[in-house]
Amino acid sequence: MHEMSLAESIVQIVEDTARANGGGRVSRVLLEVGRLAGVEIEALRFCFDAASRTSLAEGAALDIEEPDGQAWCLPCGESVTFSGLTDACPHCGSYQLQVTGGTQLKVREIEMY
Amino acid sequence: MCTTCGCGTDHVHIDGVGHALARGAQAPLTGQEQFAPAGNALPEPAIGAAGVHAHGTTAARIVQVERDLLAANDAWARRNRERFAAAGTLCLNLVSSPGSGKTTLLVRTVADLARRRTVAVVEGDQQTSNDADRIRATGVPAVQVNTGKGCHLEAPMVARALDGLPLAAGGVLFIENVGNLVCPALFDLGEAHKVAILSVTEGEDKPLKYPDMFRAADLVLINKVDLLPFLDFDIDLCEANARRVNPRVEVLRVSARSGEGFAAWLGWIERRAGTRRPVPSSGRDEARP
């Protein structure tokens, strides 16, 4: 359940941002969580609701963008898209994939009043 | 819907368990809710903070944030890494499931290394100081970090633990993470390498089941190989599975009980550890600039 630590980070970042912008209530939080980031989205939502109680983010909707994994396939010599770390290259079936994207984990923006 | 005036959509839109709980007190469930898979349909933005919005007041505004969730941990990890570099200490973060023989392996490793180098250990467990006690019995200093409900070590915990440990040029600091193959993968502690330990009494497919951890590791130790004659464990398949999720990973076969494979494991450490000083010092303040 490292999602609880992540949820606490989200609340911290959202509160810091909201206070720096007038201290209003936050109605929506937009996250970017890559499909290779090792995060269980349902658990993150659950933890966010718990971690945000009594904060400026309490009750805020959580929008989550989930970009696909990107990797460089060594045999193909080109960039490919895949969704899991145990997936093979969709073109050649090789596992010689070097991950280049899809591990991002960040707060993109907040909507506040 | 808005709990002040009742405006808004006719049904509560629930996007995952968390929202069901959070909204439950304000809008009791009716049985008419539409459940959507996570990440697809997004919650109604019309519902404001705590399900209430004021009519005729300032409209919502968007504030760009673009901040990494792990930024705070990573900043501490960077500080730890600088501290290890300043002291000339190699830091290894040992990760595995509970019961892989991590502590037994560590006891045998530090007992050997401590004859030549300054060695110290940070032990992470939810409860008890049993593991630190086992390390201290070898004469090597150890600090136990109890994470309580936490499932992994984070970089600031390690930073605090370092204050009580010797860091010396040519020294080696081992961090034994909480037994868990999921969460510790995500948290950089400032280590030079993550070492994943897997024992032959587990499944060959463990690297496929927990790919994040095996991808994060630079070395996999397959432990308890002395038990192979009594098991149906296909060790070649296990190695192939580890390379499938991490084509560049190194794999060594060891037994912490018999010592088999330890020359290779100790050699792996020796090649990465720095030059040691002729006379070992207490080293407590060496990391401080």
Side-chain angles (χ1 to χ4, degrees), chain A residues 1-3 5-7 9-10 12-13 16-18 21-28 31-33 36-39 41-42 44-46 49 53 56 58-64 66 74 85-87 95-99 103 105-113, chain B residues 15-23 26 36-51 53 57-72 151-152 154 180 182-183 186-187 207-209 211-213 215 243-245 247-248:
Chain A
M1 277 298 277
H2 59 294
E3 283 80 3
S5 302
L6 297 177
S9 292
I10 296 170
Q12 186 69 51
I13 290 171
D16 289 351
T17 309
N21 287 275
R25 299 284 300 204
V26 175
S27 49
R28 190 176 67 87
L31 300 181
E32 189 173 333
V33 179
L36 306 183
V39 174
I41 298 291
E42 281 299 302
L44 185 63
R45 288 185 180 282
F46 182 88
D49 278 350
R53 278 184 202 140
L56 291 172
E58 181 169 1
L62 201 56
D63 290 358
I64 303 180
E66 294 179 76
L74 297 176
L85 289 175
T86 52
D87 288 0
Y95 292 104
Q96 299 281 305
L97 297 172
Q98 287 182 344
V99 175
T103 58
L105 199 51
K106 62 181 172 184
V107 179
R108 298 266 325 264
E109 62 183 39
I110 63 172
E111 179 188 82
M112 58 182 292
Y113 287 90
Chain B
D15 191 62
V17 180
H19 286 272
L21 290 176
R23 298 260 156 81
Q26 295 136 14
N40 292 340
L42 297 170
E44 288 291 335
I47 300 175
H53 63 252
T57 55
T58 331
R61 62 200 168 101
I62 304 290
V63 180
Q64 297 297 321
V65 185
E66 299 293 342
R67 274 176 61 186
D68 199 301
L69 293 193
L70 294 171
C151 49
H152 57 272
E154 295 185 11
N180 176 348
V182 184
C183 312
L186 211 55
F187 292 85
L208 303 182
K209 289 177 172 170
D212 293 294
M213 184 59 84
R215 188 171 70 88
R243 294 214 166 82
R244 186 167 147 189
V245 294
R248 287 175 299 181

Side-chain angles (χ1 to χ4, degrees), chain B residues 164-189:
Chain B
L165 290 171
L167 299 180
V172 183
L173 177 83
F174 293 94
I175 300 171
E176 182 178 341
N177 218 313
V178 179
N180 176 348
L181 274 177
V182 184
C183 312
L186 211 55
F187 292 85
D188 183 8
L189 304 179

Side-chain angles (χ1 to χ4, degrees), chain B residues 31-257:
Chain B
Q32 303 302 309
E33 297 80 12
Q34 292 188 344
F35 287 84
N40 292 340
L42 297 170
E44 288 291 335
I47 300 175
V52 183
H53 63 252
H55 293 270
T57 55
T58 331
R61 62 200 168 101
I62 304 290
V63 180
Q64 297 297 321
V65 185
E66 299 293 342
R67 274 176 61 186
D68 199 301
L69 293 193
L70 294 171
N73 181 77
D74 291 349
W76 277 101
R78 217 162 24 245
R79 249 172 277 175
N80 290 346
R81 193 165 278 121
E82 286 163 6
R83 203 164 159 180
F84 298 135
T89 292
L90 172 72
C91 176
L92 301 177
N93 179 2
L94 272 53
V95 292
S96 82
S97 334
S100 67
K102 206 157 58 261
T103 311
T104 305
L105 184 135
L106 199 49
V107 165
R108 192 172 187 124
T109 304
V110 300
D112 186 285
L113 270 183
R115 286 185 276 156
R116 302 182 295 284
R117 296 178 178 276
T118 302
V119 179
V121 176
V122 176
E123 280 288 347
D125 280 301
Q126 285 197 316
Q127 300 291 343
T128 85
S129 64
N130 294 354
D131 283 1
D133 294 343
R134 285 174 65 186
I135 298 293
R136 287 190 203 110
T138 68
V140 166
V143 169
Q144 181 80 47
V145 177
N146 284 135
T147 57
K149 300 269 187 292
C151 49
H152 57 272
L153 288 175
E154 295 185 11
M157 302 174 188
V158 173
R160 281 198 297 277
L162 290 181
D163 289 334
L165 290 171
L167 299 180
V172 183
L173 177 83
F174 293 94
I175 300 171
E176 182 178 341
N177 218 313
V178 179
N180 176 348
L181 274 177
V182 184
C183 312
L186 211 55
F187 292 85
D188 183 8
L189 304 179
E191 72 275 357
H193 304 280
K194 281 191 179 74
V195 178
I197 298 156
L198 165 69
S199 63
V200 298
T201 50
E202 303 169 48
E204 298 95 341
D205 56 352
K206 213 146 204 186
L208 303 182
K209 289 177 172 170
Y210 302 96
D212 293 294
M213 184 59 84
F214 287 90
R215 188 171 70 88
D218 293 316
L219 174 67
V220 172
L221 296 177
I222 305 182
N223 191 24
K224 306 188 189 180
V225 292
D226 55 305
L227 292 177
L228 278 175
F230 310 104
L231 303 166
D232 294 325
F233 186 84
D234 184 343
I235 195 162
D236 293 327
L237 175 61
C238 183
E239 272 205 45
N241 285 337
R243 294 214 166 82
R244 186 167 147 189
V245 294
N246 185 352
R248 287 175 299 181
V249 77
E250 290 185 71
V251 182
L252 295 174
R253 303 173 180 193
V254 299
S255 165
R257 189 161 166 270

